[in-house]
Amino acid sequence: MSAHPVSDREFRDLAEFVRSVSGIQLDQSKSYLIETRLGPLLDELSLKDYGELCRKASVNPGVRSRIIDEISTNETSFFRDRAPFEMLKYKLIPDAMDRLRSHETLSIWSAASSTGQEVYSIAIACAEVLPARELSRLKILGTDISDKAIRAASIGSYSNYEIERGMEAALRDKYMIPDGDRWRVRDDLRALASFRQANLLEPMSFLGSFDVIFCRNVAIYFDLATRKALFERLGRMLRPRGALVVGSSETLHGVADQFERKDHLRSFYYSLR
């Protein structure tokens, strides 16, 4: 039994607040998330109930940020689903390098980078196929709504458990450095990436334009109208003949028909029609 059970009214109010600021949809079956993740926040902030937490978050950006940090799933691993990273190495990177001029930057964006594993997986995939002189042209951006996740990603330090979830020993030894009982991303690899907080519900054109955008397993938490608006924005940030990579179970059919699906081996990507 939770020390702070959430009432139906409190759940509706908090779910609507979370949806309005992050796009994340919480149905009634997720009430346990409120109790297990936000209950301790009530004690920490000396608040009497979730209604007071919701009211405080509406006027206090710091509390709002804490709620998003706790509610965000941040489920990630190195080389998650693997096939998209093989496609990146052998299809998307070569295609992009062929069309870029020698002075142009290869820009890749991980739009929901969580604690950084996807970004560093992208960096490793690029380092595996690009010669050193071409790596200097690479720019990888990771963004996430959670400040806490962005801080962890920027540090680039992972436990054995996090490394073993997807990272082969040979790649670990090549690109990671032992750091006590953890592993730290090698400095030259970390230098390829930058991280910043960003909300996918808001305008993002200030981030620039990209040859490849990874936006995997994010839109599944949004309603249809929010998904449509998101992919409309992403389409405007994709360079000509660029590639949008979504989750293996996601489809843009009926959501963003300005994109067409392109299959490659065991994976697929979307490009603008």
Side-chain angles (χ1 to χ4, degrees):
M1 184 78 176
S2 168
H4 296 286
V6 62
S7 70
D8 290 347
R9 172 65 185 272
E10 288 174 330
F11 178 82
R12 287 195 301 272
D13 288 348
L14 265 175
E16 174 55 28
F17 176 77
V18 168
R19 187 204 62 76
S20 69
V21 299
S22 72
I24 297 170
Q25 296 271 99
L26 297 174
D27 60 42
Q28 194 68 45
S29 68
K30 297 292 190 349
S31 61
Y32 72 92
L33 277 180
I34 300 291
E35 296 175 351
T36 58
R37 298 186 183 183
L38 299 185
L41 198 53
L42 295 185
D43 295 328
E44 182 184 327
L45 299 176
S46 301
L47 303 176
K48 68 178 188 296
D49 56 32
Y50 296 102
E52 193 175 355
L53 176 65
C54 201
R55 288 189 292 276
K56 194 172 185 68
S58 67
V59 297
N60 187 317
V63 175
R64 183 161 61 243
S65 178
R66 287 294 305 279
I67 289 175
I68 297 305
D69 284 345
E70 297 303 328
I71 290 296
S72 301
T73 303
N74 289 329
E75 170 57 30
T76 187
S77 61
F78 286 99
F79 299 100
R80 186 179 181 186
D81 300 332
R82 195 152 293 275
F85 297 97
E86 295 299 301
M87 178 175 68
L88 178 68
K89 284 165 64 175
Y90 300 117
K91 172 66 176 173
L92 303 184
I93 293 174
D95 282 0
M97 294 304 284
D98 281 348
R99 65 177 178 264
L100 289 172
R101 297 190 206 123
S102 59
H103 65 279
E104 291 179 317
T105 299
L106 170 60
S107 292
I108 303 176
W109 175 26
S110 169
S113 57
S114 185
T115 46
Q117 286 93 322
E118 181 170 88
V119 165
Y120 295 123
S121 298
I122 290 169
I124 289 171
C126 292
E128 286 288 286
V129 295
L130 290 174
R133 69 180 182 278
E134 300 289 8
L135 276 179
S136 64
R137 298 170 56 195
L138 176 64
K139 182 181 75 172
I140 306 171
L141 173 66
T143 64
D144 199 271
I145 193 171
S146 167
D147 285 323
K148 183 179 178 182
I150 288 298
R151 287 194 298 272
S154 299
I155 293 168
S157 174
Y158 300 96
S159 67
N160 276 310
Y161 172 74
E162 290 170 314
I163 291 293
E164 288 165 3
R165 289 189 70 204
M167 177 87 74
E168 297 172 5
L171 291 178
R172 177 200 66 196
D173 294 342
K174 187 173 180 181
Y175 294 105
M176 311 291 286
I177 298 170
D179 186 16
D181 61 352
R182 299 177 67 82
W183 293 86
R184 184 165 46 82
V185 178
R186 225 174 57 191
D187 286 347
D188 58 330
L189 192 75
R190 208 168 67 189
L192 299 175
S194 61
F195 296 91
R196 64 184 298 171
Q197 193 272 346
N199 187 337
L200 295 181
L201 266 59
E202 298 172 355
M204 297 170 290
S205 56
F206 64 90
L207 296 175
S209 59
F210 299 90
D211 299 290
V212 181
I213 298 175
F214 275 64
C215 188
R216 302 194 301 150
N217 307 308
V218 184
I220 55 175
Y221 297 105
F222 299 163
D223 61 29
L224 180 59
T226 305
R227 289 204 302 273
K228 286 185 172 184
L230 169 63
F231 290 116
E232 179 77 29
R233 286 192 293 275
L234 295 185
R236 292 196 294 267
M237 299 170 70
L238 200 61
R239 290 177 177 171
R241 296 167 60 198
L244 170 64
V245 182
V246 298
S248 57
S249 63
E250 294 181 85
T251 178
L252 299 193
H253 179 68
V255 177
D257 291 330
Q258 68 271 38
F259 288 96
E260 61 179 327
R261 174 171 163 151
K262 305 284 185 72
D263 291 278
H264 180 76
L265 299 178
R266 294 180 298 110
S267 195
F268 63 92
Y269 64 96
Y270 284 91
S271 62
L272 290 167
R273 294 185 188 278

